[in-house]
């Protein structure tokens, strides 16, 4: 009980100072997103061969509905799989607000975002090439099949202030839970042991972070970011988890695209590519912070 109370106090103490930074960050993000009104997603849908390029770039901007819009467009046959993968891998969900709230150096944030964009760009075009070169007939058949299932993105109907408060409260609640659980684990297992398990065992940290990133909720990116900032996981595991963390994009894909086998294949490709990128970063000893 004493450990639980101590962990809760520690979590509250760490979380409260983040509130003003999250409020300001979400206000800016929400203002930009509402001003955009889905125009960016429509530009990507009309980009043709430049789809993976624009998807990788625009996906890096923190818009919670962008990956969902990409999934809708893919289900409607408006974008190719390479563009969808590029958007998913570039999307970081709640990473940026957490980094800003935790006062991470802008240069470090920029490096992480640029690396994510480059990885998303490379793999997006790789998937486009492979699908076009070796699976052209299958791709054409899938495009024709998906034309019957077009869907539009829906608005949540909240005012901007209400939405900012909701997102801040939701993020704060997740941060508090994660901090308390992490503190309990560190107190029980020991910080050195936990770090050695996640960072010293080959592939394990990257594989587990990638699995966490597949959770179709903002909690996944928050957890991965907090673990990275706490030093529990390294740069490779962080990148694996964030590359695969497409927010609600995967959820929308499974809901809107009627080809379940295709959805599972996309999920598997996304995970394998993200894991591979994370392992390469770990092997090269690349650090961001």
């Amino acid at each position: 009980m004493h450990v639980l109370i101590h962990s809760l106090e520690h979590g509250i103490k760490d979380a409260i100072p983040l509130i003003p930074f999250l409020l300001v960050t979400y206000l800016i993000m929400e203002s930009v997103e509402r001003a955009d009104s889905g125009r960016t997603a429509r530009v990507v849908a009309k980009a043709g061969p430049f789809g993976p390029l624009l998807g990788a770039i625009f996906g890096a901007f923190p818009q919670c509905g962008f990956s969902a819009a990409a999934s809708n467009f893919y289900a409607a046959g408006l974008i190719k799989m390479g563009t969808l993968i590029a958007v998913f891998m570039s999307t970081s969900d709640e990473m940026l607000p957490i980094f800003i709230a935790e006062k991470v150096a802008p240069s470090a944030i920029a490096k992480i975002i640029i690396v994510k964009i480059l990885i998303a760009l490379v793999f997006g075009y790789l998937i486009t090439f492979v699908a076009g070169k070796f699976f052209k007939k299958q791709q054409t058949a899938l495009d024709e099949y998906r034309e019957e299932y077009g869907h539009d993105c829906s608005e949540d109907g909240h005012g901007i202030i209400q939405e900012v408060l909701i997102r801040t409260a939701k993020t704060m609640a997740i941060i508090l839970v994660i901090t308390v659980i992490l503190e309990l684990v560190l107190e029980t297992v020991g910080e050195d042991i936990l770090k050695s398990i996640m960072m010293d065992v080959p592939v394990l940290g990257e594989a587990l972070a990638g699995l966490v990133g597949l959770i179709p909720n903002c909690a996944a990116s928050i957890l991965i970011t907090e673990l990275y900032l706490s030093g529990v996981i390294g740069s490779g595991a962080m990148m694996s988890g964030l590359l695969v963390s497409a927010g609600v994009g995967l959820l929308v894909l499974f809901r809107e695209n009627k080809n379940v086998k295709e959805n599972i294949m996309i999920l598997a490709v996304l995970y394998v590519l993200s894991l591979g990128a994370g392992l390469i970063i770990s092997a090269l000893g690349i650090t961001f912070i």
Side-chain angles (χ1 to χ4, degrees), residues 74 81 142 146 257 259-266:
Y74 181 76
M81 187 184 299
L142 286 170
R146 286 199 303 272
N257 189 32
N259 193 325
V260 178
K261 289 183 178 179
E262 183 187 11
N263 295 337
I264 294 173
M265 180 187 69
I266 291 172

Side-chain angles (χ1 to χ4, degrees), residues 197-227:
I197 292 173
M198 295 300 293
M199 300 180 72
D200 296 339
V201 179
V203 185
L204 181 61
E206 291 81 6
L208 290 178
L211 290 175
V212 170
L214 287 175
I215 299 172
N217 188 284
C218 63
S221 58
I222 294 174
L223 174 57
I224 293 164
T225 305
E226 289 288 353
L227 288 174

Side-chain angles (χ1 to χ4, degrees), residues 111-186:
K111 284 191 290 185
I112 292 172
I113 292 175
I114 290 172
V115 169
K116 279 175 59 63
I117 290 175
L118 292 175
I119 293 173
L121 176 62
V122 170
F123 284 136
Y125 274 110
L126 177 62
I127 294 299
T128 299
F129 172 77
V130 171
K133 186 76 173 177
F134 301 102
F135 302 99
K136 190 172 182 178
K137 291 183 179 180
Q138 293 92 327
Q139 185 67 50
T140 301
L142 286 170
D143 291 343
E144 293 174 353
Y145 176 78
R146 286 199 303 272
E147 284 179 1
E148 302 178 21
Y149 299 103
H151 298 273
D152 295 321
C153 297
S154 59
E155 298 292 335
D156 53 30
H158 294 150
I160 185 168
I161 299 300
Q162 183 182 2
E163 185 64 28
V164 169
L165 292 175
I166 289 173
R167 292 184 69 177
T168 301
K170 186 184 296 184
T171 301
M172 284 299 303
I174 295 172
I175 290 175
L176 181 59
V177 171
I178 290 172
T179 304
V180 171
I181 293 175
L182 182 58
E183 188 69 22
L184 284 170
V185 172
L186 292 175

Side-chain angles (χ1 to χ4, degrees), residues 77-89:
L78 298 177
I79 63 174
K80 302 295 185 182
M81 187 184 299
T83 300
L84 181 68
I85 292 293
V87 171
F88 279 179
M89 298 188 82

Side-chain angles (χ1 to χ4, degrees), residues 17-19 21-22 25 96-104 175:
L18 304 180
I19 294 176
F21 294 97
L22 289 174
T25 303
L96 186 59
I98 301 302
F99 275 154
I100 293 174
E102 295 283 5
K103 302 178 184 177
V104 174
I175 290 175

Side-chain angles (χ1 to χ4, degrees), residues 4-15:
L4 178 60
I5 294 174
H6 173 73
S7 299
L8 186 59
E9 290 175 347
H10 188 273
I12 294 173
K13 183 180 178 181
D14 285 351

Side-chain angles (χ1 to χ4, degrees), residues 46-112:
K46 298 176 181 177
F50 298 102
L53 172 62
L54 296 184
I57 294 173
F58 292 137
F61 290 91
Q63 296 188 53
C64 64
F66 193 77
S67 63
S71 294
N72 272 296
F73 286 148
Y74 181 76
L78 298 177
I79 63 174
K80 302 295 185 182
M81 187 184 299
T83 300
L84 181 68
I85 292 293
V87 171
F88 279 179
M89 298 188 82
S90 184
T91 299
S92 297
D93 212 13
E94 301 299 315
M95 178 199 77
L96 186 59
I98 301 302
F99 275 154
I100 293 174
E102 295 283 5
K103 302 178 184 177
V104 174
S107 59
I109 298 175
K111 284 191 290 185
I112 292 172

